[in-house]
Amino acid sequence: MTFIETIRSAFEAIWNRRLRSTLTVLGILIGIAAVIMTVGLGEGASATVNSAISSLGTNVLIVTAGSATSAGVRGGSGSASTLTYADAQDLASHVVSPNIEAVAPIVVTEDEVKAGTKNWTTQVDGTSASWLKVRDRSVSEGRFFTPAQVKDGAAVAVIGSTTASQLGIGGAPLGQVINVAGVPLTVVGVLNTAGDSNGFNEDDIILVPITVAQSSISGSQSVSLIYLETASSATLGAAYYEADNELLALHQITNPKDADFTITAPSTLEATASSVNDALTFLLAGIAAISLLVGGIGVMNIMLVSVTERVREIGLRKALGATPAAIRRQFLVEATTLGLTGGFLGAGIGVLGAIVLPHLATTHIDIVWWAVAGSIGVAMVIGLGFGVYPAARAAKLAPIDALRSE
């Protein structure tokens, strides 16, 4: 029997048992598609989180307040009112913190904003003139407010493009008066678009001088967090040490373990997030791999059943001169064909799912080509590996015993 005849016989056998073959292929298909999509989901989540964290910069430190306790329940980090604008001003001194280049304190509130007859609820951040530099942002129209306007509590605002659009002033926003919590503010600038960052629309925001936010909008003298920018990532450690020591002294804390604030670096958050995402990806891919194993067992099952059903055929082929190697090759070709068919179909469905699902849900799935190619290779190995035993069993059948069977 030539190799071409072997392939033809294998395809005929698969076609004659197409329902059973389809179910076997389906098991492999589901496993391959699941592996591709879970790996892509993990990679997409990791890329999204890392992008959001990296957007903060590699030379930035974030100071957040400690946790507050209310009615015996301890809140999360940042829930206490332990950071003040005075803290930020002190850290901005190059005498106190020579390695800190810029400081941007932020008071975060969410308020209803009105412009003419339209209204919109969005995040309102009170900050300093350094915010633009520290956050690595820019304005597309107008300008950012100045240190003098922050000091004087000028009633000005810089808004995001989405906010401008929702308020109906996207065409000519500069000079427009918007009302935030009953406070009229003149729009002096519009931020360049930045898109979504970790589920937050960076273009749907209003920035006002921190003095205005504290005196007229939030009514609180505390700040939510403080951004600290250094000249480079090389001075990040020194800046951390300076900020930590200065805040401990300002808050009169002698034991660092009792600190009512936390200083973090985005690079540390990125490493932690990557570690968690890698673990989740590995777990999900492992679960999907189990379905591949089940699919492989399905291939072995159908091939063993096929050997049992085709005993007389095998015996006749041997009686007509077919060698054990030819019989073994035929069954291996059948098993490999089932595995490859499931692999290619599963890869196609997995890639299609990775393209379509992000349009239906707020998730991001990366198409990881090494996972696609690896899955197809695994499918072939599964078909070949789980087909070895049935093929060997068929090749060992004695012609006389096979012909006697009913």
Side-chain angles (χ1 to χ4, degrees), residues 36 56 68 82 117 234 363:
I36 292 173
L56 298 175
T82 55
T117 59
T363 185

Side-chain angles (χ1 to χ4, degrees), residues 203-228:
D203 302 321
D204 189 9
I205 191 172
I206 296 177
L207 299 168
V208 302
I210 189 171
T211 47
V212 174
Q214 289 186 324
S215 63
S216 306
I217 298 176
S218 71
S220 172
Q221 296 307 301
S222 64
V223 300
S224 307
L225 51 90
I226 302 173
Y227 284 99
L228 308 176

Side-chain angles (χ1 to χ4, degrees), residues 7-69:
I7 294 177
R8 181 179 57 79
S9 299
F11 275 92
E12 285 180 356
I14 292 173
W15 178 254
N16 291 334
R17 297 163 180 82
R18 48 188 175 274
L19 178 59
R20 190 188 304 162
S21 299
T22 300
L23 293 175
T24 302
V25 167
L26 188 62
I28 299 176
L29 180 154
I30 292 172
I32 294 294
V35 168
I36 292 173
M37 293 187 67
T38 51
V39 171
L41 186 63
E43 290 293 322
S46 180
T48 301
V49 172
N50 290 342
S51 175
I53 296 173
S54 296
S55 66
L56 298 175
T58 57
N59 58 329
V60 172
L61 293 172
I62 304 172
V63 185
T64 54
S67 58
T69 302

Side-chain angles (χ1 to χ4, degrees), residues 67-76 79:
S67 58
T69 302
S70 177
V73 178
R74 185 177 183 183
S79 58

Side-chain angles (χ1 to χ4, degrees), residues 157-227:
V158 176
I159 64 177
S161 56
T162 299
T163 309
S165 176
Q166 293 294 338
L167 291 174
I169 57 174
L174 299 183
Q176 296 281 353
V177 176
I178 60 176
N179 192 293
V180 180
V183 180
L185 303 170
T186 302
V187 177
V188 296
V190 179
L191 293 170
N192 266 317
T193 57
D196 289 343
S197 175
N198 204 23
F200 174 72
N201 186 357
E202 295 282 356
D203 302 321
D204 189 9
I205 191 172
I206 296 177
L207 299 168
V208 302
I210 189 171
T211 47
V212 174
Q214 289 186 324
S215 63
S216 306
I217 298 176
S218 71
S220 172
Q221 296 307 301
S222 64
V223 300
S224 307
L225 51 90
I226 302 173
Y227 284 99

Side-chain angles (χ1 to χ4, degrees), residues 75-111:
S77 178
S79 58
S81 302
T82 55
L83 294 176
T84 65
Y85 183 30
D87 290 336
Q89 290 175 307
D90 192 78
L91 291 174
S93 169
H94 290 294
V95 176
V96 173
S97 308
N99 287 290
I100 297 177
E101 292 286 317
V103 177
I106 297 179
V107 177
V108 180
T109 59
E110 188 170 291
D111 283 290

Side-chain angles (χ1 to χ4, degrees), residues 195-270:
D196 289 343
S197 175
N198 204 23
F200 174 72
N201 186 357
E202 295 282 356
D203 302 321
D204 189 9
I205 191 172
I206 296 177
L207 299 168
V208 302
I210 189 171
T211 47
V212 174
Q214 289 186 324
S215 63
S216 306
I217 298 176
S218 71
S220 172
Q221 296 307 301
S222 64
V223 300
S224 307
L225 51 90
I226 302 173
Y227 284 99
L228 308 176
E229 184 187 48
T230 64
S232 67
S233 56
T235 58
L236 209 59
Y240 181 100
Y241 179 79
E242 292 165 1
D244 188 54
N245 283 345
E246 184 61 20
L247 287 174
L248 288 174
L250 288 173
H251 296 189
Q252 299 180 349
I253 298 172
T254 56
N255 187 353
K257 292 182 180 180
D258 298 329
D260 55 3
F261 59 88
T262 303
I263 305 177
T264 56
S267 56
T268 304
L269 297 175
E270 186 173 354

